Amino acid sequence: EDVIRPDIVSYNTVISCADPQMALELIHEMRLSRRNRDGVVLPNSVSFTNAINRCRVFINKSQSIDERDAVLDIALTLLELAGDDNVNVYVYSAAIWTAEAVGNYQVACSLLCGMKNCTPNNVCYDGVISSLAQHGLHREALYIYYEMKKKALSATRKTYQKVAFAVRNSRESELFESLTRQAALLEGVLSGMSDRDKEVAIGGPLFESLLAVYGEILSSSNGGSGMHEKQRAFRAARMTFDSIVGSVDDACLTAMLAVCSAASPSNWNEAVTLLHSSDIICGEARGPGKVTKRALSNAVIACAKANEWGEGLNLIELYGNCRYGLF
C-alpha cells in the first residue's frame, strides 16, 4: 500500500502559516528527507522565503528585545541553511525586512552588502532605508537612497516615505532643530526625482513632508530675517506643490493649504484658488469636485486669519454640505 507523502507545495503552504520555530523545524524535516529512498522533498527558495517571512510577521512590539532577537536568529539561521543553491533576492529581502522589524539596522545593512548570487532590488533597499530611518540615521538613509538611484532602481512610495521620515526625525540635534536644513535635504531629494516619482502615488510622502516643513517655517519665523525666510518658504512651497505630476491627493493638498493658513498675512486667496482648482484623485475625497474635511478646514482657517469670513462661509456652503458626507 502506497504511503502518501507531502510534496513541496504542501510543505511550503504549511510553512507560510507556521510560527518561526515550526517553520525552521519543517525546513529541517525537508532537508532530512534526502535520506529517504522515495519521496525526497528538499526545500527550495520559496520554502526559505516563506519561513523567513513568518519570522517577520511574528515580531511585534509587545515582545522583549531578547524575544525579538531570538526570532531574528531563526531568520538568519534559515538564510544560512538556504545556501548558494536556494538563496535569491526574495530570500534576502525577507531577511532584511525581518531585521527591520526587529529594529536591527546593522544586520539589515550587513545583509544588503553581503548578498551572494543576486543583486538587490528596491524592496531590499527599502528595508535598509526603513531600518536606518527608525534610528534617525538620516545620512546613512540618504546614502542608501542615492546608491539605489545610482543603480537605476525604481523608487517606491515606501522609499520616499522612509527617506522623509529619516530627515524629519534625525537623531542629530542640529538637523532636528533646523527646519531650513530639513527643507534643503528634502529639496535635494526632490530635485533628482523623475516625473514618474513626482506622481503622488509614488512621491506623495516626500511632497507632504516637504510642504509640512515649509508650513512649520512659516509658523515659527518672525521679524527681521524671519520675514525673508517666510517669503522664501511660501514661494518654495508653491513651487513644490506645482511640481507634482498629475493629480494631487488629499494629503498634499491639505499640507499646501496649511502653508497658506500659516503665512502671515494669510494667503487666503491662494487657499481658495487651490481648493477650487485642485484635481483630487477619486476615492480620496469621495469623487471629483469634492474635498475632505481636513483640506476644507485649512482653507477656512486661512480665510478666518485674514478676516475673510464671507469667503470662509462660502467654502463651507460649497464643500461642507452634509449630502456629501463631509460633516
Side-chain angles (χ1 to χ4, degrees):
E1 187 174 329
D2 293 336
V3 178
I4 299 176
R5 300 180 185 276
D7 59 9
I8 187 67
V9 175
S10 301
Y11 269 113
N12 288 346
T13 301
V14 174
I15 288 172
S16 68
C17 56
D19 62 62
Q21 187 60 48
M22 178 59 70
L24 178 60
E25 291 175 3
L26 287 169
I27 291 293
H28 281 309
E29 181 178 308
M30 295 171 75
R31 295 178 75 241
L32 290 174
S33 71
R34 63 167 55 93
R35 298 180 181 179
N36 300 329
R37 182 174 301 176
D38 300 313
V40 177
V41 184
L42 297 177
N44 58 17
S45 59
V46 176
S47 309
F48 288 103
T49 301
N50 288 353
I52 296 173
N53 272 328
R54 291 308 298 168
C55 296
R56 177 182 58 82
V57 172
F58 190 76
I59 295 167
N60 61 72
K61 293 181 179 179
S62 64
Q63 295 170 322
S64 67
I65 295 176
D66 290 341
E67 288 174 327
R68 281 179 282 174
D69 285 343
V71 176
L72 179 57
D73 286 341
I74 292 176
L76 296 177
T77 298
L78 288 164
L79 180 63
E80 185 177 350
L81 290 174
D84 293 341
D85 294 335
N86 292 303
V87 72
N88 60 21
V89 68
Y90 303 107
V91 176
Y92 272 113
S93 64
I96 287 172
W97 276 99
T98 302
E100 187 273 347
V102 171
N104 194 324
Y105 69 87
Q106 295 98 330
V107 170
C109 292
S110 176
L111 290 172
L112 181 69
C113 296
M115 291 179 66
K116 300 176 181 178
N117 303 330
C118 58
T119 56
N121 59 11
N122 52 10
V123 178
C124 296
Y125 277 101
D126 282 354
V128 174
I129 292 171
S130 181
S131 65
L132 292 167
Q134 285 182 34
H135 294 272
L137 299 171
H138 79 277
R139 294 180 187 275
E140 292 81 356
L142 286 171
Y143 177 84
I144 296 296
Y145 165 74
Y146 286 119
E147 179 182 292
M148 173 184 175
K149 297 290 285 185
K150 193 178 297 183
K151 293 186 177 181
L153 291 172
S154 298
T156 67
R157 184 176 179 86
K158 179 75 72 176
T159 308
Y160 291 113
Q161 181 186 56
K162 297 304 180 180
V163 165
F165 183 87
V167 172
R168 295 283 277 146
N169 297 274
S170 175
R171 69 183 187 184
E172 290 187 16
S173 59
E174 290 184 2
L175 177 61
F176 186 78
E177 297 171 1
S178 173
L179 294 171
T180 303
R181 288 187 60 194
Q182 290 180 30
L185 288 176
L186 293 176
E187 286 167 354
V189 174
L190 177 59
S191 67
M193 289 168 62
S194 64
D195 285 347
R196 166 194 171 274
D197 290 0
K198 288 180 180 178
E199 297 179 3
V200 293
I202 304 295
L206 193 283
F207 283 108
E208 183 184 359
S209 294
L210 182 50
L211 290 170
V213 173
Y214 293 137
E216 291 176 28
I217 290 174
L218 288 167
S219 299
S220 62
S221 301
N222 50 66
S225 61
M227 291 304 297
H228 175 74
E229 191 176 16
K230 281 184 176 183
Q231 293 171 358
R232 180 204 171 275
F234 186 82
R235 290 195 302 269
R238 190 58 206 261
M239 289 176 61
T240 296
F241 185 78
D242 290 342
S243 69
I244 294 174
V245 174
S247 299
V248 302
D249 62 3
D250 172 57
C252 292
L253 175 61
T254 300
M256 185 62 218
L257 292 173
V259 170
C260 293
S261 65
S264 180
S266 168
N267 278 287
W268 66 272
N269 53 340
E270 290 275 3
V272 171
T273 300
L274 287 170
L275 197 66
H276 289 328
S277 62
S278 290
D279 181 19
I280 300 297
I281 295 173
C282 299
E284 289 286 346
R286 304 171 190 251
K290 309 300 187 297
V291 298
T292 61
K293 288 184 286 187
R294 295 193 309 163
L296 178 58
S297 296
N298 284 345
V300 171
I301 290 171
C303 292
K305 284 186 173 181
N307 290 322
E308 295 289 341
W309 300 101
E311 290 290 344
L313 290 173
N314 286 338
L315 293 178
I316 293 174
E317 180 67 23
L318 285 170
Y319 298 108
N321 194 307
C322 63
R323 287 179 300 166
Y324 300 127
L326 296 179
F327 290 144

Short mmCIF file of all heavy atoms in Angstrom, two decimals, residues 19-21 51-60 63-78 98-99 101-102:
data_model
loop_
_atom_site.label_atom_id
_atom_site.label_comp_id
_atom_site.label_asym_id
_atom_site.label_seq_id
_atom_site.Cartn_x
_atom_site.Cartn_y
_atom_site.Cartn_z
N ASP A 19 4.55 29.21 12.91
CA ASP A 19 5.35 30.15 13.68
C ASP A 19 6.83 29.93 13.34
O ASP A 19 7.17 28.92 12.71
CB ASP A 19 5.10 29.99 15.18
CG ASP A 19 5.48 28.60 15.71
OD1 ASP A 19 6.68 28.24 15.62
OD2 ASP A 19 4.60 27.87 16.20
N PRO A 20 7.72 30.84 13.70
CA PRO A 20 9.13 30.72 13.28
C PRO A 20 9.79 29.40 13.65
O PRO A 20 10.50 28.81 12.81
CB PRO A 20 9.80 31.90 14.00
CG PRO A 20 8.71 32.91 14.13
CD PRO A 20 7.47 32.12 14.40
N GLN A 21 9.59 28.94 14.87
CA GLN A 21 10.24 27.70 15.29
C GLN A 21 9.73 26.52 14.50
O GLN A 21 10.49 25.66 14.06
CB GLN A 21 10.02 27.48 16.79
CG GLN A 21 10.80 26.30 17.37
CD GLN A 21 12.31 26.44 17.20
OE1 GLN A 21 12.86 27.48 17.50
NE2 GLN A 21 12.95 25.39 16.71
N ALA A 51 9.46 30.84 5.13
CA ALA A 51 9.87 30.64 6.52
C ALA A 51 10.41 31.92 7.14
O ALA A 51 10.07 32.27 8.28
CB ALA A 51 10.92 29.53 6.59
N ILE A 52 11.22 32.66 6.40
CA ILE A 52 11.78 33.91 6.93
C ILE A 52 10.69 34.97 7.06
O ILE A 52 10.68 35.75 8.02
CB ILE A 52 12.93 34.40 6.03
CG1 ILE A 52 14.09 33.39 6.08
CG2 ILE A 52 13.44 35.76 6.49
CD1 ILE A 52 15.23 33.69 5.11
N ASN A 53 9.76 34.98 6.11
CA ASN A 53 8.65 35.93 6.21
C ASN A 53 7.80 35.67 7.45
O ASN A 53 7.26 36.60 8.05
CB ASN A 53 7.77 35.86 4.96
CG ASN A 53 8.25 36.78 3.86
OD1 ASN A 53 8.80 37.84 4.13
ND2 ASN A 53 8.04 36.38 2.62
N ARG A 54 7.70 34.42 7.84
CA ARG A 54 6.95 34.10 9.06
C ARG A 54 7.65 34.68 10.29
O ARG A 54 6.99 35.08 11.25
CB ARG A 54 6.80 32.58 9.22
CG ARG A 54 5.87 31.93 8.22
CD ARG A 54 4.53 32.62 8.17
NE ARG A 54 3.84 32.55 9.45
CZ ARG A 54 2.76 33.25 9.77
NH1 ARG A 54 2.26 34.10 8.90
NH2 ARG A 54 2.19 33.12 10.95
N CYS A 55 8.96 34.75 10.24
CA CYS A 55 9.71 35.39 11.33
C CYS A 55 9.35 36.87 11.41
O CYS A 55 9.11 37.41 12.49
CB CYS A 55 11.21 35.22 11.12
SG CYS A 55 11.79 33.51 11.17
N ARG A 56 9.31 37.52 10.25
CA ARG A 56 8.99 38.95 10.22
C ARG A 56 7.58 39.20 10.74
O ARG A 56 7.35 40.11 11.55
CB ARG A 56 9.12 39.48 8.79
CG ARG A 56 8.73 40.95 8.65
CD ARG A 56 8.84 41.39 7.20
NE ARG A 56 8.02 40.60 6.31
CZ ARG A 56 6.71 40.81 6.12
NH1 ARG A 56 6.09 41.78 6.78
NH2 ARG A 56 6.02 40.06 5.29
N VAL A 57 6.63 38.40 10.29
CA VAL A 57 5.23 38.58 10.70
C VAL A 57 5.06 38.33 12.19
O VAL A 57 4.23 38.97 12.85
CB VAL A 57 4.32 37.65 9.87
CG1 VAL A 57 2.90 37.67 10.41
CG2 VAL A 57 4.34 38.04 8.40
N PHE A 58 5.85 37.43 12.73
CA PHE A 58 5.70 37.02 14.12
C PHE A 58 6.17 38.10 15.09
O PHE A 58 5.74 38.15 16.24
CB PHE A 58 6.50 35.73 14.36
CG PHE A 58 6.23 35.09 15.70
CD1 PHE A 58 5.07 34.37 15.93
CD2 PHE A 58 7.16 35.19 16.72
CE1 PHE A 58 4.82 33.78 17.15
CE2 PHE A 58 6.93 34.60 17.96
CZ PHE A 58 5.76 33.88 18.17
N ILE A 59 7.04 38.99 14.64
CA ILE A 59 7.62 40.02 15.52
C ILE A 59 6.58 41.09 15.82
O ILE A 59 5.87 41.56 14.93
CB ILE A 59 8.85 40.65 14.86
CG1 ILE A 59 9.96 39.61 14.71
CG2 ILE A 59 9.35 41.86 15.65
CD1 ILE A 59 11.09 40.05 13.80
N ASN A 60 6.48 41.47 17.08
CA ASN A 60 5.59 42.57 17.47
C ASN A 60 6.23 43.35 18.61
O ASN A 60 7.13 42.87 19.29
CB ASN A 60 4.20 42.07 17.84
CG ASN A 60 4.23 41.12 19.03
OD1 ASN A 60 4.44 41.54 20.15
ND2 ASN A 60 4.00 39.83 18.77
N GLN A 63 6.82 42.18 22.37
CA GLN A 63 7.87 41.23 22.73
C GLN A 63 9.07 41.96 23.32
O GLN A 63 9.33 43.12 23.00
CB GLN A 63 8.30 40.43 21.50
CG GLN A 63 7.21 39.53 20.92
CD GLN A 63 7.63 38.96 19.57
OE1 GLN A 63 8.25 39.63 18.77
NE2 GLN A 63 7.27 37.71 19.32
N SER A 64 9.79 41.26 24.17
CA SER A 64 11.01 41.83 24.73
C SER A 64 12.10 41.84 23.66
O SER A 64 11.97 41.18 22.61
CB SER A 64 11.48 41.00 25.92
OG SER A 64 11.90 39.71 25.50
N ILE A 65 13.16 42.58 23.93
CA ILE A 65 14.27 42.64 22.97
C ILE A 65 14.86 41.26 22.74
O ILE A 65 15.18 40.88 21.60
CB ILE A 65 15.35 43.62 23.48
CG1 ILE A 65 14.81 45.04 23.52
CG2 ILE A 65 16.60 43.55 22.59
CD1 ILE A 65 15.76 46.07 24.09
N ASP A 66 15.00 40.50 23.82
CA ASP A 66 15.56 39.15 23.70
C ASP A 66 14.67 38.26 22.83
O ASP A 66 15.18 37.44 22.04
CB ASP A 66 15.74 38.52 25.09
CG ASP A 66 16.86 39.18 25.88
OD1 ASP A 66 17.72 39.84 25.25
OD2 ASP A 66 16.88 39.05 27.12
N GLU A 67 13.36 38.38 22.99
CA GLU A 67 12.44 37.56 22.20
C GLU A 67 12.54 37.92 20.72
O GLU A 67 12.55 37.03 19.86
CB GLU A 67 11.01 37.76 22.69
CG GLU A 67 10.73 37.12 24.05
CD GLU A 67 9.35 37.46 24.58
OE1 GLU A 67 8.87 38.58 24.30
OE2 GLU A 67 8.74 36.60 25.26
N ARG A 68 12.62 39.20 20.43
CA ARG A 68 12.74 39.62 19.03
C ARG A 68 14.08 39.20 18.44
O ARG A 68 14.16 38.79 17.28
CB ARG A 68 12.55 41.13 18.92
CG ARG A 68 11.09 41.56 18.99
CD ARG A 68 10.94 43.06 18.91
NE ARG A 68 11.26 43.68 20.20
CZ ARG A 68 11.32 44.99 20.40
NH1 ARG A 68 11.13 45.82 19.38
NH2 ARG A 68 11.58 45.48 21.59
N ASP A 69 15.14 39.29 19.23
CA ASP A 69 16.46 38.86 18.76
C ASP A 69 16.47 37.36 18.47
O ASP A 69 17.14 36.90 17.53
CB ASP A 69 17.53 39.21 19.78
CG ASP A 69 17.87 40.69 19.80
OD1 ASP A 69 17.52 41.38 18.82
OD2 ASP A 69 18.47 41.15 20.79
N ALA A 70 15.73 36.60 19.28
CA ALA A 70 15.67 35.15 19.07
C ALA A 70 14.99 34.84 17.74
O ALA A 70 15.41 33.93 17.01
CB ALA A 70 14.91 34.49 20.22
N VAL A 71 13.95 35.60 17.40
CA VAL A 71 13.27 35.40 16.12
C VAL A 71 14.21 35.78 14.98
O VAL A 71 14.26 35.09 13.95
CB VAL A 71 11.98 36.24 16.06
CG1 VAL A 71 11.33 36.12 14.68
CG2 VAL A 71 11.00 35.79 17.14
N LEU A 72 14.96 36.86 15.14
CA LEU A 72 15.92 37.25 14.10
C LEU A 72 16.98 36.18 13.92
O LEU A 72 17.41 35.89 12.80
CB LEU A 72 16.57 38.58 14.46
CG LEU A 72 17.61 39.12 13.48
CD1 LEU A 72 17.02 39.28 12.08
CD2 LEU A 72 18.19 40.45 13.97
N ASP A 73 17.42 35.57 15.01
CA ASP A 73 18.40 34.48 14.93
C ASP A 73 17.87 33.32 14.09
O ASP A 73 18.61 32.70 13.32
CB ASP A 73 18.78 33.99 16.33
CG ASP A 73 19.67 34.97 17.07
OD1 ASP A 73 20.29 35.83 16.40
OD2 ASP A 73 19.76 34.88 18.31
N ILE A 74 16.59 33.01 14.26
CA ILE A 74 15.98 31.95 13.46
C ILE A 74 16.00 32.32 11.99
O ILE A 74 16.33 31.50 11.12
CB ILE A 74 14.53 31.66 13.93
CG1 ILE A 74 14.54 31.04 15.33
CG2 ILE A 74 13.81 30.74 12.95
CD1 ILE A 74 13.15 30.83 15.91
N ALA A 75 15.67 33.58 11.69
CA ALA A 75 15.66 34.04 10.30
C ALA A 75 17.06 33.94 9.69
O ALA A 75 17.22 33.51 8.54
CB ALA A 75 15.16 35.48 10.23
N LEU A 76 18.08 34.32 10.45
CA LEU A 76 19.45 34.26 9.94
C LEU A 76 19.92 32.81 9.78
O LEU A 76 20.69 32.50 8.87
CB LEU A 76 20.39 35.02 10.88
CG LEU A 76 20.12 36.54 10.98
CD1 LEU A 76 21.06 37.18 11.98
CD2 LEU A 76 20.28 37.19 9.60
N THR A 77 19.45 31.93 10.67
CA THR A 77 19.75 30.51 10.53
C THR A 77 19.15 29.96 9.25
O THR A 77 19.78 29.20 8.51
CB THR A 77 19.21 29.72 11.74
OG1 THR A 77 19.85 30.19 12.93
CG2 THR A 77 19.47 28.23 11.58
N LEU A 78 17.91 30.36 8.97
CA LEU A 78 17.25 29.93 7.74
C LEU A 78 18.00 30.44 6.51
O LEU A 78 18.15 29.72 5.52
CB LEU A 78 15.80 30.44 7.73
CG LEU A 78 14.85 29.75 8.71
CD1 LEU A 78 13.58 30.57 8.90
CD2 LEU A 78 14.50 28.34 8.20
N THR A 98 12.96 41.39 8.01
CA THR A 98 12.88 40.82 9.36
C THR A 98 13.79 41.60 10.30
O THR A 98 13.40 41.93 11.43
CB THR A 98 13.27 39.34 9.36
OG1 THR A 98 12.41 38.61 8.46
CG2 THR A 98 13.14 38.74 10.76
N ALA A 99 14.99 41.92 9.83
CA ALA A 99 15.90 42.74 10.63
C ALA A 99 15.29 44.12 10.88
O ALA A 99 15.43 44.69 11.97
CB ALA A 99 17.25 42.86 9.92
N ALA A 101 12.10 44.79 11.08
CA ALA A 101 11.02 44.63 12.07
C ALA A 101 11.57 44.54 13.49
O ALA A 101 10.94 45.02 14.44
CB ALA A 101 10.20 43.38 11.73
N VAL A 102 12.75 43.95 13.62
CA VAL A 102 13.40 43.84 14.93
C VAL A 102 13.99 45.18 15.35
O VAL A 102 14.14 45.48 16.54
CB VAL A 102 14.49 42.74 14.89
CG1 VAL A 102 15.32 42.74 16.16
CG2 VAL A 102 13.85 41.38 14.69
#
